Amino acid sequence: MRLARFVTPALLLVLVPTPRQADRPDDDPPSRVGRLSFLSGSVSFRPATVDDWTDATINYPLHAGDHIWTDADARAELTLGSNAIRLAPQSAFGFLALDDRTTQVRLSQGSLEVRMRTVGDDDSFEIDTPSGAVSLLRPGSYRVDVDSTGDTTTVTARHGEAEVTAAGSAFPVHAGEAAVVSGGDSPSYDVREASRPDEWEDWCANRDRRWDDSRASQYVSRETIGYEDLDDNGEWRDTPDYGHVWAPRTTIVGWAPYRYGRWVWVEPWGWTWVDDAPWGFAPFHYGRWVYWDGGWVWVPGRRVARPVYAPALVVFVGGRNFGVAWFPLGPEEPYVPAYHVSNRYFRNVNVTNVNVTNINVTNVNVTTINYRNRRAPDAFTVVSQEAFVRSRAVDKSVIVVPRERLDQARVVGSTARVVPDRHSVLGRPDIMTVRRPPPVVTTREVVVRREPPPAPVPFIERERALRAHPGRPLDETTLGTLRRQSPPARTTRLVRPAVPVATQDRPTPVLRPTREGLPPPRALPPPAPAERATPAERPDRAGRPDRAGQPERSESPRPARQPAERPAPAERPAPDERPASKARPQPQPTPAEKPAPPDRARPDAQPARERPAPDERPASKARPQPQPAPAEKPAPPERARAAPERRAPKGRAAERDTTKEKKP
């Protein structure tokens, strides 16, 4: 390809040591974010690390912990690669988790619509509501509604397939169906035919058509966030030096990239550009800019399946007696993050525009690269440090600096060495009063199937550490220390597990059908103690729990066979007679069946004496066992324990024929 040139020799120079040298891929930031792509009416936004609400603005990048509130007559659209989430009026929405493979959101009130175009084998998309957790298993269109009380959740699958989890059980929702889950600790459910789409869903479908017919998808991946807005706001051209480029339509004389917007502080990336233009996301977080044929054009570079998001692809320069200055990176010029990344991340974030064969994050000297845009017309933008930190509109804050002084300024890297404040996080120069959701909505718990990550450390507790390294986000070690020092109330998630753990004081709740004829839900095993600290099980595309850390027998629920096998518990007396005849105490089978109901509640109280795995059902099948126990008391303890161990395999064999399929 025409862009496939070798990097300049300067790229092979050794950079002075920085904290970015550790090659730890697990510490890399996510390669994607959410984008506020459409706003109508009064839409409010609360960043993850502060308690203040502010007006939401177009193109703001969203990540785990951020919240959105749409007031009456308001709508909002969020995009995540090729997928979109749309919010109806009076909806309270937030991200619990968002990374390369996981999308986990909370909806504590209101309505959202999801258009999911792609889902990988390892991807997880979960919508958590006060009544249950909704897992989207296949590409399609879905709608979720939560009433104002939070007691009822309705899940509609227009296309695709979903699974609803509540009270330790799960049931599917197929295309054309709508499921209703009501109640709190003891919920009930119903599945019926979906009603026809209303006016709001028709609006969502119209928004989808812009994506489906996009010409830009010929030149960039559909996972490039914001690609769908390029066609209506510019034109594609073919150039001899840079391949396909995109030129924006603008009436502004002397327009230049990274000038019409503002800077905000978004961790874990740090200083992030938020553009004012409705198309201003993809060209400022992917690709490069170059001055060509009398104007600026965007060079997307080589097409890849999932390009890596960058906060801003610019170079900052520093000098005396002028504020903060920058210019855009050009083709073949590497972006060297100021945040902590591995060599793999560094190559991936540059692969579309740079030959990454010979570069690592530690062998690029950004101060010696011959940047082509440094000499381009109107490439430099300069503002005061106060305007930069307080997120003022850049085009209204530009400082005119003589060209010779800018030519003499030294390159400082991909971030400004400036400490953020609360205005930087909110993305507003002034703290304002805005519409916000009622307190009962913001404090409402939601049911989660997948345990979300810890809540972000509040910005007020990060400030001192951020001053130590101006312009550089905090690393995971520092954040871990701050998290341990934070008050528990600030780091507690308002969530409760969809698969609760039964205790003596509180029995396990049961998901009940509201009418006869509904397929029974699939019971899920409670999480093991070691799994509670890690992400809980999640369904894959086939609707099965994730294989990571799960027993082999729990991975094949076979939902199609469940309805026929579900009545097995009612027929337990017949199978019980076989174990009873092998278990010696023949005189007791008939009396033993009367105390069976109390016995069924006993396994929860007996795990200390008997092994938990075989106890739950074999104990109920071989119920004569508890009664001969007194007669065997004089026997040595080893002998008393040995008997259940010999019978356990037989109990399991019998269970495999009758009740195994009930377990997921």
Side-chain angles (χ1 to χ4, degrees), residues 25-34 62-64 80-83 95 97-104 118-125 223 225 268-269 286 305-310 342 344-345 348-349 450 538:
D26 290 343
D27 292 340
D28 289 339
S31 65
R32 64 170 181 166
V33 296
L62 304 174
H63 65 302
L80 303 92
S82 61
N83 302 327
F95 279 108
L98 180 60
D99 55 37
D100 295 0
R101 296 297 179 187
T102 304
T103 303
Q104 185 176 10
T118 58
V119 54
D121 291 337
D122 298 327
D123 291 351
S124 170
F125 200 119
E223 296 299 322
I225 302 173
W269 300 275
Y286 308 94
R306 178 176 282 185
V308 177
Y309 162 87
S342 67
R344 182 180 68 183
Y345 179 97
N348 288 341
V349 78
R450 183 186 186 95
R538 58 178 175 84

Side-chain angles (χ1 to χ4, degrees), residues 208-272:
D208 282 331
R209 293 189 188 99
R210 300 169 56 252
W211 301 52
D212 299 335
D213 303 331
S214 174
R215 183 188 171 203
S217 60
Q218 303 174 28
Y219 308 109
V220 298
S221 166
R222 288 186 181 270
E223 296 299 322
T224 302
I225 302 173
Y227 80 92
E228 70 279 3
D229 290 315
L230 300 178
D231 292 338
D232 295 337
N233 297 280
E235 59 182 359
W236 290 93
R237 302 173 183 173
D238 192 14
T239 65
D241 295 327
Y242 309 110
H244 293 291
V245 300
W246 180 81
R249 297 192 197 100
T250 177
T251 59
I252 302 175
V253 178
W255 183 92
Y258 297 101
R259 183 171 298 171
Y260 296 87
R262 65 193 187 283
W263 291 94
V264 300
W265 182 261
V266 181
E267 291 199 57
W269 300 275
W271 288 116
T272 300

Side-chain angles (χ1 to χ4, degrees), residues 580-636:
S581 62
K582 297 176 184 178
R584 294 197 306 265
Q586 284 96 347
Q588 279 91 0
T590 305
E593 293 182 4
K594 289 183 180 178
D599 248 350
R600 294 178 66 181
R602 201 176 301 173
D604 290 336
Q606 282 184 332
R609 294 177 52 193
E610 312 233 11
R611 296 189 178 182
D615 248 7
E616 294 181 5
R617 287 185 178 81
S620 63
K621 291 174 179 290
R623 287 199 190 99
Q625 274 185 308
Q627 298 190 1
E632 292 179 357
K633 266 187 178 178

Side-chain angles (χ1 to χ4, degrees), residues 104-437:
Q104 185 176 10
V105 305
R106 58 177 289 138
L107 182 69
S108 50
Q109 177 182 298
S111 303
L112 66 77
E113 191 257 9
V114 177
R115 171 67 188 275
M116 191 159 66
R117 287 174 174 77
T118 58
V119 54
D121 291 337
D122 298 327
D123 291 351
S124 170
F125 200 119
E126 179 175 315
I127 304 167
D128 297 324
T129 74
S131 302
V134 184
S135 302
L136 308 186
L137 307 182
R138 302 185 188 282
S141 297
Y142 305 88
R143 174 173 178 168
V144 179
D145 299 89
V146 177
D147 70 348
S148 58
T149 65
D151 290 336
T152 302
T153 296
T154 304
V155 181
T156 305
R158 296 294 179 194
H159 307 282
E161 182 181 359
E163 186 173 63
V164 180
T165 308
S169 298
F171 63 91
V173 184
H174 303 290
E177 294 181 341
V180 180
V181 182
S182 303
D185 293 337
S186 183
S188 61
Y189 75 98
D190 190 9
V191 181
R192 57 182 183 236
E193 184 180 355
S195 59
R196 71 165 303 277
D198 57 12
E199 180 269 339
W200 177 63
E201 285 190 73
D202 292 340
W203 173 81
C204 295
N206 288 332
R207 295 287 298 175
D208 282 331
R209 293 189 188 99
R210 300 169 56 252
W211 301 52
D212 299 335
D213 303 331
S214 174
R215 183 188 171 203
S217 60
Q218 303 174 28
Y219 308 109
V220 298
S221 166
R222 288 186 181 270
E223 296 299 322
T224 302
I225 302 173
Y227 80 92
E228 70 279 3
D229 290 315
L230 300 178
D231 292 338
D232 295 337
N233 297 280
E235 59 182 359
W236 290 93
R237 302 173 183 173
D238 192 14
T239 65
D241 295 327
Y242 309 110
H244 293 291
V245 300
W246 180 81
R249 297 192 197 100
T250 177
T251 59
I252 302 175
V253 178
W255 183 92
Y258 297 101
R259 183 171 298 171
Y260 296 87
R262 65 193 187 283
W263 291 94
V264 300
W265 182 261
V266 181
E267 291 199 57
W269 300 275
W271 288 116
T272 300
W273 177 257
V274 176
D275 202 80
D276 292 338
W279 50 266
F281 197 91
F284 298 100
H285 301 289
Y286 308 94
R288 302 289 190 271
W289 284 91
V290 69
Y291 195 82
W292 179 81
D293 194 23
W296 288 94
V297 296
W298 178 59
V299 185
R302 181 154 53 95
R303 177 171 176 161
V304 296
R306 178 176 282 185
V308 177
Y309 162 87
L313 295 156
V314 301
V315 179
F316 284 90
V317 299
R320 294 183 178 181
N321 302 324
F322 66 83
V324 185
W326 63 88
F327 60 86
L329 279 170
E332 304 167 24
E333 296 169 359
Y335 167 69
V336 184
Y339 44 92
H340 298 254
V341 300
S342 67
N343 284 326
R344 182 180 68 183
Y345 179 97
F346 177 61
R347 297 189 187 104
N348 288 341
V349 78
N350 283 291
V351 70
T352 58
N353 290 89
V354 175
N355 185 336
V356 299
T357 305
N358 298 321
I359 65 172
N360 291 321
V361 70
T362 54
N363 70 3
V364 177
N365 189 338
V366 297
T367 65
T368 60
I369 297 175
N370 185 19
Y371 297 100
R372 71 185 66 200
N373 286 338
R374 186 164 187 165
R375 299 178 298 275
D378 297 316
F380 273 97
T381 303
V382 186
V383 298
S384 68
Q385 182 167 314
E386 180 188 15
F388 187 91
V389 172
R390 294 179 72 93
S391 293
R392 298 190 186 280
V394 167
D395 62 300
K396 296 179 175 60
S397 308
V398 170
I399 299 174
V400 178
V401 177
R403 182 71 194 207
E404 57 271 16
R405 291 182 59 190
L406 292 173
D407 291 340
Q408 296 170 2
R410 62 186 180 86
V411 171
V412 298
S414 62
T415 188
R417 296 180 180 177
V418 179
V419 179
D421 65 12
R422 205 157 57 101
H423 298 85
S424 313
V425 178
L426 289 168
R428 290 290 187 181
D430 302 303
I431 308 300
M432 57 183 67
T433 301
V434 298
R435 303 283 182 86
R436 60 178 66 195

